């Protein structure tokens, strides 16, 4: 047996070359404790081992430029860790069984940011997605990578509050404007016919467009400030100058819009619906093969 820590020591198991290793070993001559390894495919790892498996904190560098720095459990990413992908995007958060799971923050290559819950590599649970190009934020529930359930789509001077389904608004909701009013209504899914020139197997894949149907407008009701109520000066008894307030001649909330009116928007080009999340380029979502480290022969 070669001396422990020898850089020239090449592991072999059942005639299979396991790469070079420099570091600590246990009594069974297994990689155990802190060590450095170079795998046969050119990847490198430096960190903790336990019984021949990456276990504990360590840094794995892929030959394609990707890198994972964090916790390991039996050769899999497990616990807290940061992953830098080949395209420059980055994930900081929790891992379970080699997959993004729990809470984490993903910085996409186009500048978008997602901060929230994950499950089996996709956005799942409560989270906030920031769209770099428009400055819009979605705050709400996600299911299997799509916006699903109650959420808020927040723009510069107004926001939409309501339910989402299959990554688009659908159902009864409202627009809340900074000027002090709310427009209530409903998003109705409208199927857009597909291209007649498409092949038969693609004819059933019609695109669904959410159409906003407005109903009425109301004022935003603000909770009164108790301190201001206490400071109100009551009119002196018999003071004729303090008359009874007269009702406003205009109906509360203003004129009721006609059915089908589009929700006001800061961007006239988007009157019918709030900005939808742009389709993420293929390079933004790392492929499984890029992220997961190759099976280390030392597992055998």
């Amino acid at each position: 047996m070669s001396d422990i820590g020898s850089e020239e020591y090449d592991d072999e198991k059942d005639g299979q070359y396991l790469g070079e290793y420099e570091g600590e070993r246990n009594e069974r001559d297994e990689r155990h404790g802190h060590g450095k390894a170079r795998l046969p495919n050119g990847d490198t790892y430096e960190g903790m081992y336990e019984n021949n498996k990456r276990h504990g904190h360590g840094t794995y560098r892929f030959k394609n430029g990707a890198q994972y720095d964090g916790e390991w459990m039996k050769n899999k990413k497990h616990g807290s860790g940061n992953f830098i992908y080949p395209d420059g995007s980055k994930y900081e958060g929790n891992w379970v069984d080699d997959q993004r799971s729990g809470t984490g923050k993903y910085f996409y290559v186009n500048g978008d940011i997602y901060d929230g819950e994950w499950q089996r590599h996709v956005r799942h649970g409560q989270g906030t997605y920031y769209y770099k190009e428009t400055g819009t934020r979605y705050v709400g529930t996600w299911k299997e990578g799509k916006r699903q359930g109650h959420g808020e789509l927040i723009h510069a001077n107004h926001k939409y509050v309501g339910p989402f389904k299959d990554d688009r608004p659908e159902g009864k909701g409202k627009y809340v404007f900074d000027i002090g009013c709310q427009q209530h209504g409903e998003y109705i899914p409208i199927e857009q016919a597909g291209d007649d020139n498409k092949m038969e197997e693609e004819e059933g894949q019609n695109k669904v467009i959410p159409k906003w149907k407005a109903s009425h407008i109301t004022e935003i009701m603000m909770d009164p400030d108790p301190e201001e109520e206490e400071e109100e000066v009551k009119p002196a008894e018999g003071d004729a100058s303090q008359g009874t307030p007269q009702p406003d001649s205009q109906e509360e909330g203003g004129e009721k819009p006609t059915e089908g009116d589009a929700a006001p928007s800061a961007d006239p080009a988007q009157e019918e619906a709030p900005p939808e999340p742009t389709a993420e380029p293929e390079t933004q979502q790392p492929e499984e093969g890029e992220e997961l480290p190759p099976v280390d022969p030392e597992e055998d």
Side-chain angles (χ1 to χ4, degrees):
M1 181 181 69
S2 302
D3 294 337
I4 296 177
S6 173
E7 295 183 4
E8 299 177 356
Y9 183 82
D10 294 344
D11 282 335
E12 289 189 11
K13 185 176 182 180
D14 298 330
Q16 184 180 15
Y17 176 62
L18 302 182
E20 300 176 359
Y21 175 74
E22 174 189 359
E24 300 174 329
R25 295 180 178 274
N26 58 17
E27 63 277 4
R28 295 187 298 274
D29 200 28
E30 297 172 330
R31 302 177 182 184
H32 192 89
H34 184 270
K36 299 179 182 180
R38 177 176 294 276
L39 282 69
N41 65 354
D43 295 350
T44 63
Y45 172 78
E46 180 176 358
M48 299 304 296
Y49 281 89
E50 184 176 290
N51 301 328
N52 246 9
K53 296 182 183 295
R54 296 183 291 274
H55 193 92
H57 188 273
T59 301
Y60 193 108
R61 294 179 173 86
F62 297 78
K63 62 180 180 180
N64 64 2
Q67 176 179 308
Y68 172 77
D69 181 32
E71 298 299 317
W72 296 81
M73 178 180 287
K74 297 182 179 179
N75 267 355
K76 294 184 177 181
K77 300 183 290 294
H78 193 96
S80 179
N82 302 333
F83 199 109
I84 301 175
Y85 296 87
D87 64 359
S89 58
K90 181 172 63 174
Y91 172 78
E92 300 175 350
N94 292 321
W95 300 77
V96 174
D97 197 23
D98 243 2
Q99 295 181 325
R100 296 186 295 271
S101 292
T103 58
K105 196 170 185 178
Y106 200 114
F107 301 85
Y108 294 87
V109 69
N110 67 349
D112 291 357
I113 300 174
Y114 173 77
D115 188 1
E117 296 179 303
W118 297 78
Q119 187 178 85
R120 292 190 294 272
H121 257 344
V122 297
R123 299 181 289 269
H124 189 91
Q126 294 296 313
T128 299
Y129 194 105
Y130 169 73
Y131 300 83
K132 172 67 174 179
E133 184 176 358
T134 61
T136 301
R137 286 183 296 125
Y138 170 79
V139 181
T141 308
W142 299 78
K143 183 179 180 180
E144 297 179 353
K146 297 180 178 180
R147 294 171 298 177
Q148 183 89 7
H150 181 78
E152 297 185 5
L153 201 58
I154 305 171
H155 306 280
N157 59 359
H158 70 283
K159 66 179 179 180
Y160 169 76
V161 182
F164 285 74
K165 182 179 179 180
D166 291 333
D167 215 29
R168 63 178 180 270
E170 183 173 322
K172 294 183 178 180
K174 62 182 179 180
Y175 279 91
V176 181
F177 298 89
D178 293 350
I179 59 176
C181 67
Q182 302 178 124
Q183 184 182 69
H184 299 257
E186 180 179 6
Y187 266 110
I188 301 174
I190 304 296
E191 282 196 4
Q192 189 177 63
D195 190 352
D196 295 336
N197 296 326
K198 290 185 177 181
M199 299 180 65
E200 294 182 359
E201 60 268 20
E202 298 179 354
E203 290 181 356
Q205 300 177 359
N206 293 340
K207 185 177 181 180
V208 178
I209 302 296
K211 176 73 173 181
W212 175 250
K213 182 179 179 181
S215 59
H216 63 283
I217 293 178
T218 61
E219 290 183 358
I220 299 178
M221 303 302 293
M222 305 297 294
D223 294 332
D225 190 340
E227 296 182 359
E228 291 183 1
E229 287 186 343
E230 293 177 0
E231 294 176 358
E232 288 183 358
V233 179
K234 296 182 179 180
E237 186 176 349
D239 189 352
S241 63
Q242 299 291 338
T244 303
Q246 296 298 318
D248 194 342
S249 60
Q250 184 178 3
E251 184 178 352
E252 180 182 9
E255 182 181 356
K256 182 177 180 180
T258 58
E259 186 174 289
D261 284 349
S265 173
D267 185 358
Q270 298 172 343
E271 290 182 348
E272 291 188 356
E276 286 292 314
T278 56
E280 297 169 357
E282 293 295 332
T283 56
Q284 293 178 24
Q285 286 291 356
E287 298 180 358
E288 294 294 327
E290 291 180 336
E291 177 183 353
L292 302 181
V295 177
D296 192 338
E298 63 195 49
E299 296 181 16
D300 296 336

